[in-house]
Amino acid sequence: MSAWLIKGARVVDPASGRDETADVRIADGSITGIGSDLGDGKAEVIDADGAIVAPGFVDLHTHLREPGREDEETIATASAGAAAGGYTAICAMPNTDPVCDTSSVAEKVWALGRETGLVDVRVAGALSRGLDGAVMADIGEMVRSAARVTMFTDDGHGVQDSLFARRTMEYLVAFDAIYAEHCEDAALAADGQMHEGDRSAALGLRGIPAEAEELMAARDIALARLTGCRLHLLHVSCARTVELVRRAKAEGARITTEAAPHHFTLTDAALETYDPLMKVNPPLRASEDVDAVTRGLADGTIDAIATDHAPHAVEEKDQEFSYAPPGMLGLETALALSFTQLVEPGHLDLSRLVELLSTNPARILGLDEQGSLEIGSAANVVVIDPSARWTVDASSLQSKSRNTPFNGRELTGRVVHTFFRGRPTVQDGKALNEATV
Ligand code: DOR
């Protein structure tokens, strides 16, 4: 069967301004109709009364771990997790082993993504060789490669050398490519383990001050103004960073930002048990920061929700807090956390949520086939049950790793179907895990 009729759902597509109850017809890989009385022809009918149909989600920030740490995640397992989470495109971060700093690594990751065929795997290239922050990576080659890289970052590290940041931005301008920053001043962050504040003092853990993020964000905004480069700030976590971005946008800066679900869901209070699953970088912040990130998502200051999906092996996470690596799984819980934390309490409406999870990230990456429900375009579609209550069970995730801080948490909102290029990758809440191209 290669045709489906999704009947009676609320169709939310901010790209076209659509928010109405309608049927959606998918045939031969494309959206062939949106409206009523489409007729089911030979299509398989999905009764979607009470459900939401939206463009498939696009994650700007996914750590795939392949090449190098296939014991933690592979492109195939991350793709399956992404599909389960309602994603039809993900952007692979370059901090693999080897680092994605050449066209050959970029093309390899991109090709493995295509082979898996469950989501569109886009690739972010490194800014510097081996993420050393000193020698520029093969940026031009990566742009021109089959992977067509448009975003560059040393994520995991902030670029410490301001002149290197400036020169790299100047170079990226030639390709209209994006300089994406993990905002962290390493000297200020020192060997910090958690957010610096009363709690870090009480717990006896070295803190990372919010200013470590704020300072680098301010520097990069200034350098983007100087160079004209497109700037994307990764995983914004602090109130003052949100404010800086708000002001820069008001002044017309070419800047976009993202926030991760854990940064609008958890505070540094979660560290009180010294549970390494709560360790992440940037760290979980104070409740004022969570509130500011939430406001930023609602008012347009923050453009996208990005998972920062960061798989880690059980034996590495299960160590004394200071030895455990930072990072949390994100792909399979992002929709439900966003729904539960942002939509249910009324911070933002469904249309804004779809903008944050799909429309805007697709625009940022320049993905024509993603982020909208246009008749005639590739059917990258998600169907959500907004009333489903479910409990996160780490052991049943598609990801190869288990490091979710949300195990056992009850959430609202579930992905019921995902279609990638017109083929189901998730059906009735079950991942199909088969290549679709
Ligand atoms: O917590 C994090 N984990 N933050 C990062 O920036 C990198 C990531 C990882 O690769 O594990």
Side-chain angles (χ1 to χ4, degrees), residues 301-426:
T301 305
I302 300 172
D303 301 272
I305 292 170
T307 66
D308 196 3
H309 178 81
H312 286 291
V314 172
E315 64 276 14
E316 285 180 18
K317 265 298 196 187
D318 196 13
Q319 299 189 73
E320 196 180 305
F321 194 89
S322 54
Y323 294 110
M328 301 172 165
L329 300 184
L331 288 167
E332 293 172 72
T333 48
L335 177 266
L337 287 168
S338 304
F339 200 86
T340 308
Q341 294 298 123
L342 303 173
V343 179
E344 272 202 317
H347 297 302
L348 46 91
D349 63 16
L350 256 178
S351 169
R352 176 71 189 145
L353 182 69
V354 175
E355 260 174 31
L356 289 162
L357 285 168
S358 179
T359 328
N360 291 349
R363 263 190 208 139
I364 291 168
L365 286 178
L367 305 181
D368 297 338
E369 287 201 339
Q370 302 279 348
S372 71
L373 296 177
E374 256 174 66
I375 296 170
S377 69
N380 294 312
V381 177
V382 63
V383 183
I384 303 156
D385 179 350
S387 58
R389 298 277 296 163
W390 62 287
T391 303
V392 180
D393 173 9
S395 68
S396 67
L397 299 174
Q398 297 294 318
S399 171
K400 214 168 185 181
S401 288
R402 295 287 167 255
N403 55 308
T404 172
F406 301 111
N407 190 33
R409 198 165 172 124
E410 208 188 5
L411 300 172
T412 307
R414 183 144 219 193
V415 173
V416 195
H417 302 277
T418 310
F419 289 88
F420 174 56
R421 298 190 179 145
R423 292 267 185 163
T425 52
V426 174

Side-chain angles (χ1 to χ4, degrees), residues 61 63 65 93 95 154-157 182 184 235 262 279-282 308-312 317 325-328:
H61 196 142
H63 294 277
R65 303 294 187 230
M93 287 293 113
N95 63 338
D154 277 2
D155 181 59
H157 312 270
H182 170 119
E184 183 177 345
H235 42 47
H262 45 266
K279 185 169 174 181
V280 66
N281 194 13
D308 196 3
H309 178 81
H312 286 291
K317 265 298 196 187
M328 301 172 165

Side-chain angles (χ1 to χ4, degrees), residues 56-396:
F57 304 147
V58 177
D59 189 22
L60 291 171
H61 196 142
T62 320
H63 294 277
L64 300 183
R65 303 294 187 230
E66 185 176 4
R69 287 304 304 263
E70 290 83 352
D71 59 314
E72 297 184 322
E73 194 79 288
T74 63
I75 290 167
T77 57
S79 297
Y87 288 90
T88 51
I90 56 178
C91 183
M93 287 293 113
N95 63 338
T96 46
D97 184 11
V99 167
C100 183
D101 54 8
T102 60
S103 57
S104 55
V105 179
E107 286 184 346
K108 183 76 188 166
V109 172
W110 173 78
L112 285 169
R114 254 173 82 91
E115 222 170 85
T116 302
L118 293 170
V119 290
D120 201 351
V121 176
R122 313 302 298 207
V123 181
L127 291 163
S128 65
R129 286 222 178 139
L131 308 175
D132 70 358
V135 180
M136 225 182 275
D138 294 352
I139 288 174
E141 279 183 22
M142 286 189 269
V143 171
R144 286 186 290 262
S145 73
R148 288 177 292 126
V149 181
T150 56
M151 182 187 273
F152 293 86
T153 178
D154 277 2
D155 181 59
H157 312 270
V159 171
Q160 304 304 312
D161 179 338
S162 303
L163 183 59
F164 178 80
R166 174 187 178 168
R167 295 288 180 239
T168 312
M169 285 190 195
E170 283 168 345
Y171 190 62
L172 288 170
V173 169
F175 307 102
D176 202 27
I178 302 169
Y179 179 106
E181 187 76 274
H182 170 119
C183 294
E184 183 177 345
D185 181 297
L188 271 182
D191 287 324
Q193 300 291 322
M194 66 175 289
H195 174 62
E196 181 177 304
D198 293 345
R199 275 212 176 84
S200 60
L203 294 173
L205 290 172
R206 190 192 272 259
I208 302 173
E211 285 74 8
E213 177 175 298
E214 184 193 351
L215 280 183
M216 192 168 284
R219 179 201 71 180
D220 284 354
I221 290 168
L223 291 178
R225 192 187 312 122
L226 177 67
T227 61
C229 185
R230 292 175 67 190
L231 172 66
H232 181 74
L233 300 183
L234 301 160
H235 42 47
V236 163
S237 68
C238 303
R240 286 186 189 279
T241 316
V242 177
E243 194 43 43
L244 274 175
V245 173
R246 189 174 284 124
R247 259 188 281 141
K249 283 190 164 187
E251 289 168 7
R254 286 182 95 197
I255 170 174
T256 54
T257 50
E258 59 175 50
H262 45 266
H263 286 132
F264 58 74
T265 304
L266 299 168
T267 67
D268 58 352
L271 279 293
E272 275 170 2
T273 55
Y274 296 91
D275 182 351
L277 288 176
M278 302 298 167
K279 185 169 174 181
V280 66
N281 194 13
L284 301 176
R285 299 286 186 185
S287 59
E288 309 84 86
D289 298 305
V290 171
D291 293 346
V293 167
T294 302
R295 273 197 304 281
L297 286 162
D299 72 11
T301 305
I302 300 172
D303 301 272
I305 292 170
T307 66
D308 196 3
H309 178 81
H312 286 291
V314 172
E315 64 276 14
E316 285 180 18
K317 265 298 196 187
D318 196 13
Q319 299 189 73
E320 196 180 305
F321 194 89
S322 54
Y323 294 110
M328 301 172 165
L329 300 184
L331 288 167
E332 293 172 72
T333 48
L335 177 266
L337 287 168
S338 304
F339 200 86
T340 308
Q341 294 298 123
L342 303 173
V343 179
E344 272 202 317
H347 297 302
L348 46 91
D349 63 16
L350 256 178
S351 169
R352 176 71 189 145
L353 182 69
V354 175
E355 260 174 31
L356 289 162
L357 285 168
S358 179
T359 328
N360 291 349
R363 263 190 208 139
I364 291 168
L365 286 178
L367 305 181
D368 297 338
E369 287 201 339
Q370 302 279 348
S372 71
L373 296 177
E374 256 174 66
I375 296 170
S377 69
N380 294 312
V381 177
V382 63
V383 183
I384 303 156
D385 179 350
S387 58
R389 298 277 296 163
W390 62 287
T391 303
V392 180
D393 173 9
S395 68
S396 67

